[in-house]
Amino acid sequence: DAGVTQSPTHLIKTRGQHVTLRCSPISGHKSVSWYQQVLGQGPQFIFQYYEKEERGRGNFPDRFSARQFPNYSSELNVNALLLGDSALYLCASSLGPGRETQYFGPGTRLLVL
Amino acid sequence: QKEVEQDPGPLSVPEGAIVSLNCTYSNSAFQYFMWYRQYSRKGPELLMYTYSSGNKEDGRFTAQVDKSSKYISLFIRDSQPSDSATYLCAMSARETSGSRLTFGEGTQLTVNP
């Protein structure tokens, strides 16, 4: 069975640009969460979506937004990129709220110059 | 103060050693405890999942949770070079609207042949 897939794998942007990252969850999973992992740190929670609705939001600025589609795939958008947004962006899928086990994709490595 | 504290290491052991990895936490609402393994430049891979206090064993891996002390551990028996990776502890509280994982910063482990 396919695991969580993310695209693109790598991305280079310049300050001020916008980026869209994509995630497809494990088949049968209806919840998608996004995390940011800066080098040398643990992942930090950004968003969780379930049934196309936002169910949780971490301590990130409004430049970060996300959405979930009817097929449960998801997009993470980041506007007005800053150098500090350079990180590995991870998508995790789970069956739904209250089902705590989350499975991660390989991540998208974003470099902002 | 961070909600989850984890010694970043690095930790270097000879092949066959028993490895002990630990995390402490401050949020008494945490009920679900996980250990993830992350190879360099990859997404985290779920190793162990435990609900509330107690022990759980899976092959060479044993997870322990002591909620009274707010302390969790992962033991690796007969460690192998292939166990060389960063180990992340993660935990969450039951929320009706969703669930977010709070991670430690990870412990970098090297098992030397």
Side-chain angles (χ1 to χ4, degrees):
Chain A
D1 287 341
V4 178
T5 59
Q6 292 186 244
S7 64
T9 56
H10 296 82
L11 205 52
I12 300 175
K13 293 286 189 178
T14 56
R15 282 179 296 175
Q17 284 189 312
H18 162 270
V19 68
T20 298
L21 310 180
R22 296 178 175 83
C23 170
S24 292
I26 293 171
S27 177
H29 285 193
K30 298 182 178 181
S31 181
V32 169
S33 299
W34 288 95
Y35 293 81
Q36 180 196 65
Q37 186 177 24
V38 174
L39 191 64
Q41 300 292 320
Q44 297 290 316
F45 174 77
I46 310 175
F47 287 109
Q48 184 180 56
Y49 275 77
Y50 175 70
E51 295 285 12
K52 297 182 291 180
E53 291 189 4
E54 182 182 304
R55 294 300 187 105
R57 184 185 185 111
N59 187 25
F60 280 81
D62 292 343
R63 300 185 296 108
F64 289 76
S65 63
R67 56 179 175 167
Q68 186 178 33
F69 299 99
N71 66 354
Y72 305 111
S73 67
S74 178
E75 284 182 354
L76 175 70
N77 295 283
V78 186
N79 292 323
L81 286 167
L82 303 174
L83 296 179
D85 294 330
S86 297
L88 180 67
Y89 288 85
L90 296 162
C91 173
S93 79
S94 63
L95 287 168
R99 310 298 288 270
E100 309 303 318
T101 307
Q102 297 187 19
Y103 299 90
F104 284 83
T108 293
R109 189 164 298 278
L110 172 64
L111 177 61
V112 182
L113 300 176
Chain B
Q1 183 187 3
K2 295 180 182 178
E3 278 190 289
V4 179
E5 298 278 357
Q6 183 176 9
D7 186 342
L11 182 62
S12 181
V13 301
E15 184 175 354
I18 296 175
V19 176
S20 173
L21 304 168
N22 311 292
C23 289
T24 59
Y25 63 95
S26 57
N27 187 347
S28 57
F30 287 145
Q31 296 180 294
Y32 302 90
F33 304 92
M34 287 137 277
W35 286 94
Y36 286 86
R37 177 174 63 194
Q38 187 173 29
Y39 291 112
S40 181
R41 310 182 80 81
K42 302 290 186 182
E45 170 195 9
L46 181 65
L47 277 179
M48 300 288 283
Y49 167 80
T50 309
Y51 170 67
S52 195
S53 287
N55 294 358
K56 185 173 184 178
E57 187 173 324
D58 184 2
R60 298 185 295 111
F61 299 91
T62 299
Q64 290 185 350
V65 175
D66 182 349
K67 289 189 69 179
S68 63
S69 301
K70 297 188 177 66
Y71 187 86
I72 70 170
S73 300
L74 177 70
F75 297 95
I76 307 174
R77 291 183 299 280
D78 188 25
S79 56
Q80 303 295 311
S82 59
D83 295 328
S84 298
T86 296
Y87 289 79
L88 296 156
C89 64
M91 42 201 82
S92 67
R94 174 172 288 280
E95 300 174 30
T96 55
S97 61
S99 57
R100 62 184 68 186
L101 298 180
T102 302
F103 284 85
E105 69 177 281
T107 299
Q108 185 178 342
L109 171 68
T110 300
V111 180
N112 301 298

